[in-house]
């Protein structure tokens, strides 16, 4: 295995199916220890946030579009947002692992779609089609087809996904994740504490427990899809 490209596997059970969490080489991280509260980067207008933006309960995911486990967890997140959207806000952040050759291009495509109001729609297509583009040399062409299906301005889409601004945005997420000790995908942080739910019910219980321990914010909820 090539130097600097090795990776480990942590096996988890998710809905009766075995998935692997991809890991970074240990020398790239300074882990504070699982369960310890870490200081996450502040949520800004550049973040992709869904759910109740006024909620004091925040679930942050550092995710890699080419990671099979991330694709497996994604429907669980969508289900929680559909059924429990008032209870928390969800923040999606990029954490493309270098052993996944198309992960950054996928992140750039999602960000470019987001410039035209279609980040979540592109995210759906990328995760749902993961087996169609992962490991393919023409992945960027496949992402362009996704952009066409979303009726995006293709010239702007190509300009944006190749722009330094979007590449810097993805890199910032990656460095923020490394800074708090994220070393696998998906990495979930709830109220600043890393969690590893094994199924949908555990996810919901984590959210409810965090809500019970957190005082509600002033004012009414603001829910986004």
């Amino acid at each position: 295995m090539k130097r600097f490209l090795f990776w480990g596997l942590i096996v988890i059970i998710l809905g009766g199916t075995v998935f692997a969490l991809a890991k970074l080489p240990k020398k790239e991280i300074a882990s504070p220890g699982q369960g310890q509260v870490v200081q996450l980067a502040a949520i800004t207008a550049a973040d992709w946030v869904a759910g109740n933006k006024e909620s004091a309960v925040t679930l942050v995911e550092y995710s890699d579009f080419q990671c099979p486990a991330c694709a497996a967890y994604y429907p669980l997140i969508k289900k929680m947002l559909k059924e429990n959207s008032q209870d928390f806000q969800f923040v999606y952040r990029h954490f493309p692992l270098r052993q996944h050759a198309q992960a950054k291009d996928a992140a750039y495509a999602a960000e470019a779609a987001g410039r035209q109001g279609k980040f979540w729609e592109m995210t759906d297509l990328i995760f749902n089609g993961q087996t169609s583009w992962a490991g393919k040399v023409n992945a960027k062409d496949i992402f362009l087809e996704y952009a066409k299906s979303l009726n995006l301005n293709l010239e702007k889409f190509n300009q944006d996904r190749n722009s330094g601004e979007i590449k810097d945005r993805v890199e910032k997420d990656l460095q923020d994740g490394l800074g708090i000790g994220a070393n696998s995908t998906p990495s979930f942080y709830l109220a600043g504490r890393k969690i590893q739910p094994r199924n949908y019910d555990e996810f919901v219980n984590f959210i409810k427990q965090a809500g019970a321990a957190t005082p509600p914010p002033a004012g009414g909820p603001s829910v986004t899809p």
Side-chain angles (χ1 to χ4, degrees), residues 175-197:
Q175 294 304 318
D176 287 345
L178 290 172
I180 59 170
N183 66 340
S184 62
T185 55
S187 283
F188 293 103
Y189 294 86
L190 183 61
R193 191 182 300 276
K194 190 171 185 180
I195 61 171
Q196 289 186 336

Side-chain angles (χ1 to χ4, degrees), residues 65-68 102 126 129-137 139 142-143:
F65 279 118
Q66 198 172 341
C67 165
Q102 288 80 30
I126 290 174
Q130 187 186 77
T131 57
S132 298
W133 59 263
K136 303 292 178 60
V137 296
I142 296 174
F143 301 147

Side-chain angles (χ1 to χ4, degrees), residues 60-195:
V60 177
E61 178 186 6
Y62 285 89
S63 178
D64 177 321
F65 279 118
Q66 198 172 341
C67 165
C70 295
Y73 271 101
Y74 185 64
L76 305 189
I77 297 294
K78 291 190 67 176
K79 184 178 180 181
M80 284 202 303
L81 288 170
K82 181 178 180 180
E83 298 181 355
N84 305 278
S85 61
Q86 298 285 346
D87 297 339
F88 71 109
Q89 63 176 334
F90 171 65
V91 181
Y92 184 96
R93 287 176 174 167
H94 304 286
F95 200 73
L97 301 176
R98 58 187 180 178
Q99 65 262 31
H100 291 156
Q102 288 80 30
K104 283 189 175 181
D105 283 334
Y108 302 153
E111 287 289 328
R115 295 290 181 90
Q116 298 186 52
K118 295 292 181 69
F119 174 83
W120 297 110
E121 291 85 349
M122 179 62 83
T123 295
D124 285 347
L125 292 174
I126 290 174
F127 272 136
N128 291 338
Q130 187 186 77
T131 57
S132 298
W133 59 263
K136 303 292 178 60
V137 296
N138 65 331
K140 292 182 71 173
D141 293 336
I142 296 174
F143 301 147
L144 183 61
E145 290 300 315
Y146 293 165
K148 288 180 183 178
S149 73
L150 295 174
N151 296 315
L152 301 184
N153 180 317
L154 299 184
E155 182 178 359
K156 175 173 172 51
F157 174 79
N158 278 325
Q159 289 176 347
D160 286 339
R161 67 172 171 169
N162 291 318
S163 70
E165 185 177 356
I166 277 182
K167 291 178 180 180
D168 289 345
R169 180 74 193 87
V170 172
E171 183 65 22
K172 180 182 184 304
D173 279 357
L174 176 61
Q175 294 304 318
D176 287 345
L178 290 172
I180 59 170
N183 66 340
S184 62
T185 55
S187 283
F188 293 103
Y189 294 86
L190 183 61
R193 191 182 300 276
K194 190 171 185 180
I195 61 171

Side-chain angles (χ1 to χ4, degrees), residues 12-19 68-69 71-74 76 197-200 203:
I12 65 171
I13 304 300
L14 178 61
T17 305
V18 177
F19 293 95
Y73 271 101
Y74 185 64
L76 305 189
R198 293 168 295 181
N199 53 50
Y200 179 75
F203 242 137

